[in-house]
Amino acid sequence: MPHQILVVDDEPDLELLVTQKLRRQIRDKQFEFFFGRNGEEALEILSHHPGIDLVLSDINMPVMDGLTLLGKLSGTSRTRKAVIVSAYGDMANIRTAMNRGAADFLMKPIDFADLEVTVHKILTEIAHLKEAAENQERLQLIERELTVAARIQQWMLPRDFPPFPGRSDFELHGAMTPAKEVGGDLFDFFLLDDDHLGVVIGDVSGKGVPAALFMAVTRTLLRGVALEGKSPGECLDYVNARLCSQSDSSMFVTLFYGILNTRTGEFRFASGGHNPPYLFKPGGHPRQLHGTGCLIVGCIPAAKYCTDGCILAPGEALLLYTDGVTEAMSNADEFFGEERLEKYLNEHVSTSAEQLVTNLLASLKTFAADAPQSDDITALVLRHTPPAVG
C-alpha cells in the first residue's frame, strides 16, 4: 500500500510540480497524493480518506489557513503528522505551527530533494508510532484476557467459607494469592462421603497463564480420581501418569493429597515432592508431617506414590502451604522461612482456621513490605473438631 499524503496549498501550480517531480515514486506506488486548496477542503478530504498519514500544508491560505487546520488535525488521528510549508522569513508563524504540533517545516520555493528526505523521515516516525499503538492495543487485550483468566481461576478455587455449614466435626479455610494476574498454585477440598474429607494443595512449576492452565488440568484430574474412592497414593499415581503422557516435560507440579476420617481422626496422605504440612495443637510445638513421597508429579511416568498416615487428635490442625509462604522475601533479601512460620503457628494456634490463614497472609505482606512478590502464596488449614463424647 502506498503512503497517502495530503498536500494543502492554494497555488494551483504546486499540484503539477509535485506530480511531476515525484512521478517515479507515484508510479512505483510509494506515494499516493491528494490535493486541497485550503483547510476546509483538507478536512473534507481527510473525512473520506482516513488512511492519510501525512499532511503538507501551506500557512497562508484563504477560507481556513494552515495554523487553524493544524489545530483541528490534533483530534483526528494519533499517528497522523503535519509538515508546514511557508515562505522564508515567516519564522513567527513557523514557530507557532511547531508549538501546535507540526512535525517539521519546509521553505518556499520547495526543494524537492529536501521534501523527499523530510517525507521519508516523517513517515518512518509515523510507522514507529503505529507500531507502538498496535503494541499498546495488544497489551491492553492481553491485560483484559488476564483479568478474565484471573476471575476464572478464582472461580475454580474454593471461595465460600465455611464450605460445609452443617458440619462441626472439622474446620477448614484456604486462600491463594498469585504472584501475577493468574498463578500456578492450587488448593481444593471435597467430601468423599459423610465421614471422609479430601484436601489438596499443589504448586505448578512456573508462573502466569501456562502454570494456571496446568493447575486447572491437575485439579480436574485429581478431583476426578479422588471421588472414585482411591487411596491418596493411587490418586497421585493416576495424576502423574496422565500428566506425563500429555504435558510438556518442562512443567511439573508438587502435590499433597490427604483424606481425613472425620469420626476417628485418621489422616491418610500422599506427597508428590510437596512441602510437608505442619501438624500443630494448643500446648504443643508444631511439627512437620513427613511422608515417604519425594518425587514431583508429572515428570517420571513410572513413579509410584505411597500412602502414609497419622491420627489427628481432637483440636489438632494441619497447615498445608506452598513454598511461596516460606520463601516470601523481605527488602533485605531474607526469606520468611520455617522458623518464622513455626513461631507464627505457636502464637496463633488457638485462633480459628479462617483467622490462621488470613493473619498468615497479612504477616507475610508485612514481612515483605514493598518487596515484589516472587511466587504464588497459598495456605490451607484443616482442624479436627469432633463432638465431645458423652
Side-chain angles (χ1 to χ4, degrees), residues 340-381:
R340 286 187 178 87
L341 182 56
E342 292 171 8
K343 180 181 178 183
Y344 170 85
L345 290 175
N346 273 324
E347 293 173 350
H348 296 80
V349 65
S350 299
T351 60
S352 68
E354 179 179 4
Q355 289 174 317
L356 270 165
V357 172
T358 302
N359 293 341
L360 175 58
L361 297 181
S363 296
L364 291 171
K365 189 173 182 180
T366 300
F367 173 78
D370 56 355
Q373 183 180 334
S374 60
D375 199 0
D376 306 325
I377 295 173
T378 303
L380 174 66
V381 170

Side-chain angles (χ1 to χ4, degrees), residues 146-166:
L146 284 174
T147 299
V148 173
R151 290 174 183 168
I152 292 172
Q153 184 178 46
Q154 291 299 325
W155 174 79
M156 290 182 65
L157 296 175
R159 298 164 309 188
D160 299 326
F161 295 96
F164 309 106

